[in-house]
Structure formats: C-alpha cells, structure tokens
C-alpha cells in the first residue's frame, strides 16, 4: 500500500509573511531545503519580499533564531531548516531531542506556527535524498507553513 502524505488542495500564500531560519551546519543540505521551500512558497503566491531569511550556526540554535524572528517581525509562520547527521558520539541524540522539543515548545508558546524542517539522518546520502527531488522536505515544509498560517 502506498503511504499517502499531506493531501493538500487549494491553498494560497497570498498576503502571508513567512520567516525561514536556516542552520549553516551541513549547509549544502540546508541551502537546498531553503531554496526549494522559497520556490514553493512563491509558486503558492507568497511574494519574494515577504520571505525573510535568518542564518544560525547549527540546528541547536534554530530554537533561539525562531524565537527572535517571531519577536522582531510580523510573520504568519516560521520554518526552521537544519540537518543533523549521526556521528560516532551521542551528540546526534542530544541535538535532535533538544531541537525537536524546543520547536515544540515554541509552537505552544508563540502565536504563530513554527514548522519543523530538521532532517535527522544516519548518513549524508539520506540527507541528500531528503533535500532534493520528490522527497524534498523543503517543499513539504512550505506547504505546511501556508496551511498552518491560514488556520
Ligand atoms: C556540534 C554539532 C554536531 C556534532 N553535529 C551537528 C549536526 O550534525 N548538525 C547541526 O545542525 N549541528 C551540529 N552541531 C552543532 C550544534 O547544533 C550547535 O551549533 C553547537 O553545539 C553550538 O551550540
């Protein structure tokens, strides 16, 4: 059986302002996520001037970056992009847990949605697959941001 993903229809980003926080750790991956999301947002009628980008050093800093963006800009949704790749130490688990919990907490605290675009992969090849082509998480996050901003 084919697993059905987000079956969205008829959504528009007209008049929305979207913030995107991008971690520069594994920047080849996170830039691909960012540019795919930007392209999809524009395709769904978000104006280029209404897409705000902020860079932070690593995925751990996405939480503070998103919080700052929410405080400083009038936005309808924020997307965070990071890429955590498993290494030889438990660092992977600490960062993944911290960032997913931190973003969850922001969703409870803030009045705008924060969309979770952090890839947590076992190796670089998995990260490449999920940041390009059909399985691109950047596109998925752009759609989710518009859906959530319009709730
Ligand atoms: C330290 C670290 C490590 C080991 N791995 C990653 C990673 O795979 N992906 C990522 O986005 N960030 C990593 N970092 C950096 C942390 O997220 C953070 O920037 C530093 O611990 C400084 O707070």
């Amino acid at each position: 059986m084919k697993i059905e993903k987000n079956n969205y229809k008829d959504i528009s980003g007209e008049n929305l302002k979207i913030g995107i926080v991008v971690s520069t750790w594994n920047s080849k991956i996170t830039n691909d996520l960012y540019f795919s999301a930007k392209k999809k947002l524009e395709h769904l009628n978000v104006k280029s001037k209404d897409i705000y980008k902020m860079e932070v050093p690593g995925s751990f800093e996405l939480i503070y970056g998103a919080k700052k963006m929410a405080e400083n800009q009038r936005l309808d949704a924020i997307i965070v992009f990071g890429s955590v790749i498993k290494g030889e130490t438990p660092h992977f688990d600490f960062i993944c847990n911290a960032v997913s919990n931190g973003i969850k907490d922001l969703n409870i605290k803030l009045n705008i949605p924060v969309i979770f675009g952090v890839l947590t992969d076992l190796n670089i090849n998995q990260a490449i697959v999920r940041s390009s082509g059909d399985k691109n998480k950047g596109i998925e996050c752009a759609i989710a941001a518009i859906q959530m901003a319009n709730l």
Side-chain angles (χ1 to χ4, degrees):
M1 190 175 87
K2 190 168 183 281
I3 295 173
E4 192 176 339
K5 288 204 184 171
N6 185 356
N7 184 13
Y8 75 101
K9 297 189 198 75
D10 299 333
I11 59 169
S12 170
E14 207 170 344
N15 298 322
L16 295 182
K17 295 186 193 314
I18 310 286
I20 307 183
V21 190
V22 183
S23 155
T24 56
W25 196 288
N26 296 323
S27 63
K28 156 83 184 92
I29 304 294
T30 57
N31 278 331
D32 284 351
L33 293 170
Y34 167 74
F35 284 114
S36 311
K38 187 168 187 291
K39 193 169 160 198
K40 188 69 181 176
L41 289 170
E42 287 171 6
H43 178 72
L44 291 169
N45 306 323
V46 181
K47 293 191 186 77
S48 177
K49 71 169 180 57
D50 291 333
I51 301 172
Y52 301 83
K53 183 186 185 195
M54 174 197 278
E55 288 187 338
V56 296
S59 289
F60 189 79
E61 284 75 36
L62 290 169
I63 306 159
Y64 185 78
K67 188 174 89 154
K68 269 282 180 222
M69 255 203 169
E71 283 167 5
N72 293 344
Q73 315 263 9
R74 287 184 167 213
L75 298 170
D76 298 292
I78 295 174
I79 305 170
V80 299
F81 285 128
S83 163
V84 194
I85 297 179
K86 195 166 171 64
E88 310 249 300
T89 70
H91 215 100
F92 177 81
D93 301 301
F94 286 110
I95 295 177
C96 293
N97 284 332
V99 71
S100 55
N101 270 312
I103 299 302
K104 179 263 292 170
D105 288 346
L106 289 182
N107 275 284
I108 295 169
K109 186 170 163 249
L110 299 175
N111 252 334
I112 57 168
V114 183
I115 307 300
F116 187 72
V118 181
L119 301 185
T120 57
D121 294 303
L122 301 181
N123 54 56
I124 185 75
N125 290 335
Q126 281 185 351
I128 291 169
V129 169
R130 295 172 72 216
S131 57
S132 56
D134 273 3
K135 293 194 174 155
N136 194 320
K137 185 123 179 119
I139 296 173
E140 209 179 293
C141 288
I143 294 165
I146 292 181
Q147 285 181 301
M148 294 303 291
N150 281 322
L151 284 183

mmCIF file of all heavy atoms in Angstrom, residues 2 11 18 24-25 35-36 52-53 61 63 66 69 72 75-76 83-84 98 112-114 127 143 151:
data_model
loop_
_atom_site.group_PDB
_atom_site.id
_atom_site.type_symbol
_atom_site.label_atom_id
_atom_site.label_comp_id
_atom_site.label_asym_id
_atom_site.label_seq_id
_atom_site.Cartn_x
_atom_site.Cartn_y
_atom_site.Cartn_z
ATOM 1 N N LYS A 2 0.475 2.235 -0.840
ATOM 2 C CA LYS A 2 1.249 3.468 -0.894
ATOM 3 C C LYS A 2 0.844 4.359 0.285
ATOM 4 O O LYS A 2 -0.350 4.539 0.546
ATOM 5 C CB LYS A 2 0.939 4.180 -2.209
ATOM 6 C CG LYS A 2 1.848 5.336 -2.505
ATOM 7 C CD LYS A 2 1.665 5.789 -3.956
ATOM 8 C CE LYS A 2 2.618 6.892 -4.295
ATOM 9 N NZ LYS A 2 2.200 8.191 -3.815
ATOM 10 N N ILE A 11 -4.575 25.740 -1.695
ATOM 11 C CA ILE A 11 -4.056 26.630 -0.665
ATOM 12 C C ILE A 11 -3.359 27.798 -1.342
ATOM 13 O O ILE A 11 -2.822 27.677 -2.441
ATOM 14 C CB ILE A 11 -3.105 25.927 0.330
ATOM 15 C CG1 ILE A 11 -1.900 25.317 -0.384
ATOM 16 C CG2 ILE A 11 -3.838 24.888 1.140
ATOM 17 C CD1 ILE A 11 -0.825 24.864 0.568
ATOM 18 N N ILE A 18 6.393 35.011 5.643
ATOM 19 C CA ILE A 18 6.968 33.760 6.165
ATOM 20 C C ILE A 18 8.449 33.962 6.503
ATOM 21 O O ILE A 18 9.213 34.469 5.680
ATOM 22 C CB ILE A 18 6.844 32.615 5.118
ATOM 23 C CG1 ILE A 18 5.426 32.493 4.554
ATOM 24 C CG2 ILE A 18 7.350 31.286 5.698
ATOM 25 C CD1 ILE A 18 4.383 31.899 5.459
ATOM 26 N N THR A 24 23.528 26.814 9.300
ATOM 27 C CA THR A 24 24.607 26.717 8.303
ATOM 28 C C THR A 24 25.468 25.458 8.487
ATOM 29 O O THR A 24 26.411 25.239 7.741
ATOM 30 C CB THR A 24 25.503 27.975 8.312
ATOM 31 O OG1 THR A 24 26.000 28.168 9.632
ATOM 32 C CG2 THR A 24 24.728 29.204 7.876
ATOM 33 N N TRP A 25 25.161 24.640 9.492
ATOM 34 C CA TRP A 25 25.841 23.344 9.648
ATOM 35 C C TRP A 25 25.290 22.418 8.564
ATOM 36 O O TRP A 25 24.072 22.331 8.413
ATOM 37 C CB TRP A 25 25.547 22.770 11.037
ATOM 38 C CG TRP A 25 26.483 21.668 11.449
ATOM 39 C CD1 TRP A 25 26.518 20.401 10.966
ATOM 40 C CD2 TRP A 25 27.503 21.753 12.447
ATOM 41 N NE1 TRP A 25 27.487 19.679 11.592
ATOM 42 C CE2 TRP A 25 28.109 20.470 12.514
ATOM 43 C CE3 TRP A 25 27.966 22.762 13.305
ATOM 44 C CZ2 TRP A 25 29.147 20.182 13.394
ATOM 45 C CZ3 TRP A 25 28.987 22.470 14.185
ATOM 46 C CH2 TRP A 25 29.580 21.193 14.217
ATOM 47 N N PHE A 35 16.107 26.830 -0.574
ATOM 48 C CA PHE A 35 15.740 27.285 -1.925
ATOM 49 C C PHE A 35 14.500 26.542 -2.457
ATOM 50 O O PHE A 35 13.670 27.133 -3.144
ATOM 51 C CB PHE A 35 16.928 27.170 -2.891
ATOM 52 C CG PHE A 35 17.934 28.264 -2.655
ATOM 53 C CD1 PHE A 35 19.204 27.982 -2.179
ATOM 54 C CD2 PHE A 35 17.593 29.601 -2.883
ATOM 55 C CE1 PHE A 35 20.130 29.011 -1.929
ATOM 56 C CE2 PHE A 35 18.508 30.625 -2.646
ATOM 57 C CZ PHE A 35 19.776 30.328 -2.170
ATOM 58 N N SER A 36 14.360 25.263 -2.096
ATOM 59 C CA SER A 36 13.154 24.531 -2.525
ATOM 60 C C SER A 36 11.918 25.102 -1.855
ATOM 61 O O SER A 36 10.863 25.238 -2.483
ATOM 62 C CB SER A 36 13.240 23.056 -2.152
ATOM 63 O OG SER A 36 14.454 22.534 -2.546
ATOM 64 N N TYR A 52 11.438 36.058 4.685
ATOM 65 C CA TYR A 52 12.564 36.588 5.468
ATOM 66 C C TYR A 52 13.478 35.432 5.869
ATOM 67 O O TYR A 52 13.013 34.450 6.421
ATOM 68 C CB TYR A 52 12.050 37.275 6.732
ATOM 69 C CG TYR A 52 11.113 38.421 6.441
ATOM 70 C CD1 TYR A 52 9.767 38.186 6.185
ATOM 71 C CD2 TYR A 52 11.573 39.732 6.408
ATOM 72 C CE1 TYR A 52 8.897 39.225 5.895
ATOM 73 C CE2 TYR A 52 10.707 40.778 6.124
ATOM 74 C CZ TYR A 52 9.374 40.508 5.866
ATOM 75 O OH TYR A 52 8.523 41.540 5.580
ATOM 76 N N LYS A 53 14.775 35.617 5.615
ATOM 77 C CA LYS A 53 15.729 34.549 5.940
ATOM 78 C C LYS A 53 16.641 34.979 7.091
ATOM 79 O O LYS A 53 17.082 36.128 7.137
ATOM 80 C CB LYS A 53 16.582 34.243 4.710
ATOM 81 C CG LYS A 53 17.552 33.102 4.919
ATOM 82 C CD LYS A 53 18.471 32.942 3.717
ATOM 83 C CE LYS A 53 19.374 31.748 3.852
ATOM 84 N NZ LYS A 53 20.490 31.777 2.907
ATOM 85 N N GLU A 61 20.723 26.059 17.459
ATOM 86 C CA GLU A 61 20.413 27.496 17.518
ATOM 87 C C GLU A 61 19.119 27.860 16.778
ATOM 88 O O GLU A 61 18.686 29.017 16.796
ATOM 89 C CB GLU A 61 21.572 28.310 16.939
ATOM 90 C CG GLU A 61 22.778 28.420 17.861
ATOM 91 C CD GLU A 61 23.613 27.156 17.948
ATOM 92 O OE1 GLU A 61 23.744 26.456 16.922
ATOM 93 O OE2 GLU A 61 24.103 26.853 19.052
ATOM 94 N N ILE A 63 16.198 27.151 17.561
ATOM 95 C CA ILE A 63 15.141 27.476 18.531
ATOM 96 C C ILE A 63 15.183 28.973 18.857
ATOM 97 O O ILE A 63 14.186 29.685 18.736
ATOM 98 C CB ILE A 63 15.329 26.643 19.826
ATOM 99 C CG1 ILE A 63 15.417 25.156 19.500
ATOM 100 C CG2 ILE A 63 14.205 26.913 20.816
ATOM 101 C CD1 ILE A 63 16.077 24.326 20.587
ATOM 102 N N ALA A 66 14.321 31.152 15.803
ATOM 103 C CA ALA A 66 12.878 31.234 15.521
ATOM 104 C C ALA A 66 12.192 32.150 16.527
ATOM 105 O O ALA A 66 11.311 32.941 16.173
ATOM 106 C CB ALA A 66 12.268 29.837 15.565
ATOM 107 N N MET A 69 12.994 35.734 15.595
ATOM 108 C CA MET A 69 12.240 36.129 14.395
ATOM 109 C C MET A 69 10.800 36.455 14.757
ATOM 110 O O MET A 69 10.237 37.430 14.281
ATOM 111 C CB MET A 69 12.246 34.993 13.385
ATOM 112 C CG MET A 69 13.156 35.238 12.234
ATOM 113 S SD MET A 69 12.617 34.233 10.853
ATOM 114 C CE MET A 69 13.623 34.947 9.590
ATOM 115 N N ASN A 72 10.687 39.877 16.427
ATOM 116 C CA ASN A 72 11.119 41.077 15.684
ATOM 117 C C ASN A 72 10.347 41.361 14.408
ATOM 118 O O ASN A 72 10.436 42.454 13.878
ATOM 119 C CB ASN A 72 12.601 40.967 15.322
ATOM 120 C CG ASN A 72 13.458 41.021 16.572
ATOM 121 O OD1 ASN A 72 12.975 41.420 17.629
ATOM 122 N ND2 ASN A 72 14.702 40.606 16.460
ATOM 123 N N LEU A 75 5.141 38.126 11.347
ATOM 124 C CA LEU A 75 5.130 36.970 10.450
ATOM 125 C C LEU A 75 3.874 36.138 10.668
ATOM 126 O O LEU A 75 3.261 36.183 11.741
ATOM 127 C CB LEU A 75 6.358 36.096 10.730
ATOM 128 C CG LEU A 75 7.720 36.734 10.490
ATOM 129 C CD1 LEU A 75 8.828 35.846 11.046
ATOM 130 C CD2 LEU A 75 7.941 36.987 9.007
ATOM 131 N N ASP A 76 3.528 35.353 9.657
ATOM 132 C CA ASP A 76 2.373 34.455 9.770
ATOM 133 C C ASP A 76 2.808 33.024 10.074
ATOM 134 O O ASP A 76 2.009 32.226 10.568
ATOM 135 C CB ASP A 76 1.571 34.494 8.468
ATOM 136 C CG ASP A 76 1.034 35.891 8.214
ATOM 137 O OD1 ASP A 76 0.161 36.317 8.985
ATOM 138 O OD2 ASP A 76 1.520 36.573 7.284
ATOM 139 N N SER A 83 20.103 20.239 9.425
ATOM 140 C CA SER A 83 20.455 18.878 9.008
ATOM 141 C C SER A 83 21.395 18.299 10.051
ATOM 142 O O SER A 83 22.526 18.770 10.207
ATOM 143 C CB SER A 83 21.144 18.938 7.637
ATOM 144 O OG SER A 83 21.827 17.739 7.388
ATOM 145 N N VAL A 84 20.897 17.320 10.787
ATOM 146 C CA VAL A 84 21.736 16.665 11.790
ATOM 147 C C VAL A 84 22.083 15.279 11.255
ATOM 148 O O VAL A 84 21.201 14.520 10.852
ATOM 149 C CB VAL A 84 21.013 16.540 13.151
ATOM 150 C CG1 VAL A 84 22.019 16.183 14.246
ATOM 151 C CG2 VAL A 84 20.284 17.818 13.519
ATOM 152 N N ALA A 98 16.853 18.007 21.640
ATOM 153 C CA ALA A 98 16.755 19.416 22.063
ATOM 154 C C ALA A 98 16.000 20.236 21.027
ATOM 155 O O ALA A 98 15.093 21.006 21.372
ATOM 156 C CB ALA A 98 18.156 19.993 22.279
ATOM 157 N N ILE A 112 2.254 32.058 16.470
ATOM 158 C CA ILE A 112 2.353 31.666 15.063
ATOM 159 C C ILE A 112 2.969 30.262 14.997
ATOM 160 O O ILE A 112 3.718 29.873 15.899
ATOM 161 C CB ILE A 112 3.205 32.658 14.226
ATOM 162 C CG1 ILE A 112 4.601 32.813 14.803
ATOM 163 C CG2 ILE A 112 2.515 33.997 14.069
ATOM 164 C CD1 ILE A 112 5.545 33.535 13.850
ATOM 165 N N PRO A 113 2.649 29.521 13.942
ATOM 166 C CA PRO A 113 3.203 28.165 13.838
ATOM 167 C C PRO A 113 4.682 28.172 13.467
ATOM 168 O O PRO A 113 5.131 29.021 12.697
ATOM 169 C CB PRO A 113 2.370 27.532 12.716
ATOM 170 C CG PRO A 113 1.843 28.675 11.919
ATOM 171 C CD PRO A 113 1.712 29.843 12.852
ATOM 172 N N VAL A 114 5.412 27.221 14.025
ATOM 173 C CA VAL A 114 6.816 27.026 13.652
ATOM 174 C C VAL A 114 6.928 25.619 13.048
ATOM 175 O O VAL A 114 6.659 24.618 13.719
ATOM 176 C CB VAL A 114 7.764 27.178 14.859
ATOM 177 C CG1 VAL A 114 9.223 27.032 14.406
ATOM 178 C CG2 VAL A 114 7.553 28.523 15.552
ATOM 179 N N ALA A 127 20.495 12.323 3.763
ATOM 180 C CA ALA A 127 20.208 13.769 3.816
ATOM 181 C C ALA A 127 20.037 14.334 2.406
ATOM 182 O O ALA A 127 19.149 15.165 2.160
ATOM 183 C CB ALA A 127 21.331 14.490 4.561
ATOM 184 N N ILE A 143 4.537 24.001 2.138
ATOM 185 C CA ILE A 143 3.091 23.725 2.078
ATOM 186 C C ILE A 143 2.500 23.751 3.495
ATOM 187 O O ILE A 143 1.460 24.367 3.742
ATOM 188 C CB ILE A 143 2.846 22.358 1.397
ATOM 189 C CG1 ILE A 143 3.275 22.430 -0.071
ATOM 190 C CG2 ILE A 143 1.392 21.937 1.516
ATOM 191 C CD1 ILE A 143 3.430 21.082 -0.746
ATOM 192 N N LEU A 151 -4.857 28.857 9.137
ATOM 193 C CA LEU A 151 -5.857 28.234 10.035
ATOM 194 C C LEU A 151 -6.735 29.303 10.667
ATOM 195 O O LEU A 151 -6.265 30.386 10.999
ATOM 196 C CB LEU A 151 -5.153 27.453 11.153
ATOM 197 C CG LEU A 151 -4.541 26.106 10.783
ATOM 198 C CD1 LEU A 151 -3.945 25.453 12.043
ATOM 199 C CD2 LEU A 151 -5.567 25.171 10.153
#
